[in-house]
Amino acid sequence: MNKYVCGVCGYEYDPVVGDPDNGVPAGTAFESIPDDWVCPICGVSKDQFKTE
């Protein structure tokens, strides 16, 4: 699974780790994250992320 990086702040979403603090369990592919999820650092939407 690819990692995705926020184009605004540089936060890296790693699907192996997920984002458990914000309801995204480990093993969740970026494409499977709900559309209303936002970057936990700067709050931008998923469309601001680029694949690494």
Side-chain angles (χ1 to χ4, degrees), residues 1 16 19 22 24 26 28 31 35-36 38 47-49:
M1 287 190 268
V16 172
D19 182 16
N22 293 294
V24 181
T28 302
E31 297 80 9
D35 289 335
D36 62 350
V38 296
D47 64 352
Q48 298 295 314
F49 280 71

Side-chain angles (χ1 to χ4, degrees), residues 2-4 6 12 16-19 24 27-28 32-33 36-38:
N2 291 329
K3 294 180 182 178
Y4 287 79
C6 177
E12 182 178 272
V16 172
V17 177
D19 182 16
V24 181
T28 302
S32 298
I33 298 173
D36 62 350
W37 179 85
V38 296

